[in-house]
Coordinates of all heavy atoms in Angstrom, one line a residue:
S1 N 266.3 158.7 18.1 CA 267.2 157.8 18.8 C 268.6 157.7 18.2 O 269.5 157.3 18.8 CB 266.6 156.4 18.6 OG 266.5 156.1 17.2
G2 N 268.8 158.3 17.0 CA 270.2 158.1 16.4 C 271.0 159.3 16.7 O 270.7 160.3 17.4
S3 N 272.3 159.3 16.2 CA 273.2 160.3 16.3 C 272.7 161.6 15.6 O 272.7 161.6 14.4 CB 274.6 159.9 15.8 OG 275.1 158.8 16.5
G4 N 272.4 162.6 16.3 CA 272.0 163.9 15.7 C 270.7 163.8 14.9 O 270.7 164.4 13.8
S5 N 269.8 163.1 15.3 CA 268.5 162.9 14.6 C 267.9 164.2 14.2 O 267.6 165.0 15.0 CB 267.5 162.1 15.4 OG 266.4 161.8 14.7
G6 N 267.8 164.4 12.8 CA 267.3 165.7 12.3 C 268.3 166.7 12.1 O 268.0 167.8 11.5
S7 N 269.5 166.5 12.6 CA 270.6 167.6 12.5 C 271.0 167.9 11.1 O 271.3 169.0 10.8 CB 271.8 167.2 13.3 OG 272.3 166.0 12.9
R8 N 271.1 166.9 10.2 CA 271.6 167.1 8.9 C 270.7 168.1 8.1 O 271.2 169.0 7.5 CB 271.7 165.8 8.1 CG 272.4 165.8 6.8 CD 272.6 164.5 6.2 NE 271.4 163.7 6.0 CZ 271.2 162.4 6.3 NH1 272.2 161.7 6.7 NH2 270.1 161.9 6.1
S9 N 269.4 167.9 8.2 CA 268.5 168.8 7.5 C 268.4 170.1 8.2 O 268.3 171.2 7.6 CB 267.1 168.2 7.3 OG 266.5 167.8 8.5
A10 N 268.4 170.1 9.6 CA 268.3 171.4 10.3 C 269.5 172.3 10.1 O 269.3 173.5 10.0 CB 268.2 171.1 11.8
L11 N 270.7 171.7 9.9 CA 271.9 172.5 9.6 C 272.1 172.7 8.1 O 273.0 173.5 7.7 CB 273.1 171.8 10.2 CG 273.2 171.8 11.7 CD1 274.3 170.9 12.2 CD2 273.3 173.2 12.3
G12 N 271.3 172.1 7.3 CA 271.5 172.3 5.8 C 272.8 171.7 5.3 O 273.4 172.2 4.4
L13 N 273.2 170.5 5.9 CA 274.5 170.0 5.6 C 274.5 169.3 4.3 O 273.6 168.4 4.0 CB 274.9 169.0 6.7 CG 275.1 169.6 8.0 CD1 275.4 168.5 9.1 CD2 276.3 170.6 8.0
E14 N 275.4 169.6 3.4 CA 275.5 168.9 2.1 C 276.1 167.5 2.3 O 276.7 167.2 3.4 CB 276.3 169.7 1.1 CG 277.8 169.9 1.5 CD 278.1 171.1 2.3 OE1 277.2 171.8 2.7 OE2 279.3 171.4 2.6
A15 N 275.8 166.6 1.4 CA 276.3 165.2 1.5 C 277.8 165.2 1.7 O 278.6 165.8 1.0 CB 275.9 164.5 0.2
G16 N 278.2 164.4 2.7 CA 279.6 164.2 2.9 C 280.3 165.2 3.7 O 281.5 165.1 4.0
R17 N 279.6 166.2 4.2 CA 280.2 167.3 4.9 C 280.8 166.8 6.2 O 280.1 166.1 7.0 CB 279.2 168.4 5.2 CG 279.6 169.5 6.2 CD 280.4 170.5 5.5 NE 281.0 171.4 6.4 CZ 281.8 172.4 6.1 NH1 282.0 172.7 4.9 NH2 282.3 173.2 7.0
P18 N 282.0 167.2 6.6 CA 282.6 166.8 7.9 C 281.8 167.4 9.0 O 281.6 168.6 9.0 CB 284.0 167.2 7.9 CG 284.3 167.5 6.4 CD 283.1 167.9 5.8
C19 N 281.5 166.6 10.1 CA 280.7 167.1 11.2 C 281.5 166.7 12.5 O 282.2 165.8 12.5 CB 279.3 166.5 11.2 SG 278.4 167.0 9.8
L20 N 281.1 167.5 13.5 CA 281.5 167.2 14.9 C 280.3 166.7 15.7 O 279.2 167.4 15.6 CB 282.2 168.4 15.5 CG 283.4 169.0 14.8 CD1 283.8 170.3 15.4 CD2 284.5 168.0 14.8
L21 N 280.4 165.6 16.4 CA 279.3 165.1 17.2 C 279.8 165.1 18.6 O 280.9 164.7 18.9 CB 278.9 163.7 16.8 CG 277.9 162.9 17.7 CD1 276.6 163.6 17.6 CD2 277.9 161.5 17.3
R22 N 278.9 165.6 19.5 CA 279.2 165.7 21.0 C 278.0 165.2 21.8 O 276.9 165.7 21.6 CB 279.6 167.1 21.4 CG 279.8 167.3 22.8 CD 280.1 168.8 23.0 NE 279.8 169.3 24.4 CZ 280.6 169.9 25.1 NH1 281.8 170.2 24.7 NH2 280.2 170.3 26.3
R23 N 278.2 164.2 22.6 CA 277.2 163.7 23.5 C 277.7 164.0 24.9 O 278.8 163.6 25.3 CB 277.0 162.2 23.4 CG 276.3 161.8 22.0 CD 276.1 160.3 22.0 NE 275.5 159.9 20.8 CZ 274.2 159.9 20.6 NH1 273.4 160.2 21.5 NH2 273.7 159.5 19.4
T24 N 276.8 164.6 25.7 CA 277.2 165.0 27.1 C 276.0 164.7 28.0 O 274.9 164.6 27.7 CB 277.5 166.5 27.2 OG1 276.4 167.3 26.8 CG2 278.7 166.8 26.3
R25 N 276.4 164.8 29.3 CA 275.4 164.8 30.4 C 275.9 166.0 31.3 O 277.1 166.2 31.5 CB 275.5 163.6 31.3 CG 275.3 162.2 30.6 CD 273.9 162.1 30.1 NE 273.5 160.7 29.6 CZ 273.6 160.4 28.4 NH1 274.0 161.2 27.4 NH2 273.3 159.1 28.0
L26 N 274.9 166.8 31.7 CA 275.2 167.8 32.7 C 274.8 167.1 34.0 O 273.7 166.6 34.2 CB 274.3 169.1 32.5 CG 274.7 169.9 31.3 CD1 273.8 171.1 31.2 CD2 276.2 170.4 31.4
V27 N 275.8 167.1 35.0 CA 275.6 166.3 36.2 C 275.8 167.3 37.4 O 276.5 168.3 37.4 CB 276.6 165.2 36.3 CG1 276.3 164.2 35.1 CG2 278.0 165.6 36.3
T28 N 275.1 166.8 38.5 CA 275.3 167.5 39.8 C 276.7 167.2 40.4 O 277.3 166.3 39.9 CB 274.2 167.1 40.8 OG1 274.5 165.7 41.1 CG2 272.8 167.3 40.2
P29 N 277.1 168.0 41.4 CA 278.3 167.6 42.1 C 278.4 166.2 42.5 O 279.5 165.6 42.6 CB 278.4 168.6 43.2 CG 277.6 169.8 42.8 CD 276.5 169.2 42.0
G30 N 277.3 165.6 42.8 CA 277.2 164.2 43.2 C 277.2 163.2 42.0 O 277.1 162.0 42.2
G31 N 277.3 163.7 40.8 CA 277.3 162.9 39.6 C 275.9 162.5 39.0 O 275.9 161.7 38.1
V32 N 274.8 163.0 39.5 CA 273.5 162.7 39.0 C 273.2 163.5 37.7 O 273.3 164.7 37.8 CB 272.4 163.0 40.1 CG1 271.1 162.7 39.5 CG2 272.7 162.2 41.4
P33 N 272.9 162.8 36.6 CA 272.6 163.5 35.4 C 271.3 164.3 35.5 O 270.3 163.8 36.0 CB 272.4 162.4 34.4 CG 273.0 161.2 35.0 CD 272.9 161.4 36.4
V34 N 271.4 165.6 35.1 CA 270.2 166.5 35.1 C 269.7 166.6 33.6 O 268.5 166.7 33.4 CB 270.6 167.8 35.7 CG1 269.4 168.8 35.5 CG2 271.0 167.7 37.1
S35 N 270.6 166.6 32.7 CA 270.2 166.6 31.2 C 271.2 165.8 30.4 O 272.3 165.6 30.9 CB 270.1 168.0 30.7 OG 271.4 168.6 30.6
A36 N 270.7 165.4 29.3 CA 271.5 164.6 28.3 C 271.4 165.4 27.0 O 270.3 165.7 26.6 CB 271.1 163.2 28.2
N37 N 272.6 165.6 26.4 CA 272.5 166.4 25.1 C 273.3 165.7 24.0 O 274.3 165.1 24.2 CB 273.2 167.7 25.4 CG 272.7 168.5 26.6 OD1 271.5 168.6 26.7 ND2 273.5 169.0 27.5
V38 N 272.7 165.9 22.8 CA 273.4 165.5 21.5 C 273.6 166.8 20.7 O 272.6 167.6 20.5 CB 272.5 164.6 20.7 CG1 273.2 164.2 19.4 CG2 272.3 163.2 21.5
V39 N 274.8 167.1 20.4 CA 275.1 168.3 19.7 C 275.9 168.0 18.4 O 276.8 167.1 18.4 CB 276.0 169.2 20.6 CG1 276.3 170.6 19.9 CG2 275.4 169.5 21.9
V40 N 275.5 168.6 17.3 CA 276.1 168.4 16.0 C 276.5 169.8 15.4 O 275.7 170.7 15.5 CB 275.2 167.6 15.0 CG1 275.9 167.5 13.6 CG2 274.9 166.3 15.6
A41 N 277.7 169.9 14.9 CA 278.1 171.1 14.2 C 278.9 170.7 12.9 O 279.6 169.7 12.9 CB 279.0 172.0 15.1
A42 N 278.8 171.5 11.9 CA 279.6 171.3 10.7 C 281.0 171.7 11.1 O 281.2 172.8 11.6 CB 279.1 172.2 9.5
A43 N 281.9 170.8 10.8 CA 283.4 171.1 11.1 C 283.9 172.1 10.2 O 283.6 172.1 9.0 CB 284.1 169.8 11.0
G44 N 284.8 173.0 10.8 CA 285.5 174.0 10.0 C 284.8 175.2 9.6 O 285.4 176.1 9.0

């Protein structure tokens, strides 16, 4: 349920590491969401 649940351990991020968080929806031309994504990356 949270921001990037499990991402810190999956990416092996050390404490305090700057990260980028992106939440998106992939939508049809009519605007209907087909998927919802949470993406986390270590910045830099």
Side-chain angles (χ1 to χ4, degrees):
S1 60
S3 297
S5 183
S7 59
R8 191 172 55 223
S9 58
L11 292 173
L13 297 174
E14 65 271 6
R17 172 78 190 184
C19 298
L20 302 172
L21 171 68
R22 170 180 159 130
R23 290 181 180 273
T24 61
R25 304 290 191 265
L26 289 179
V27 299
T28 65
V32 177
V34 174
S35 72
N37 306 312
V38 176
V39 182
V40 176

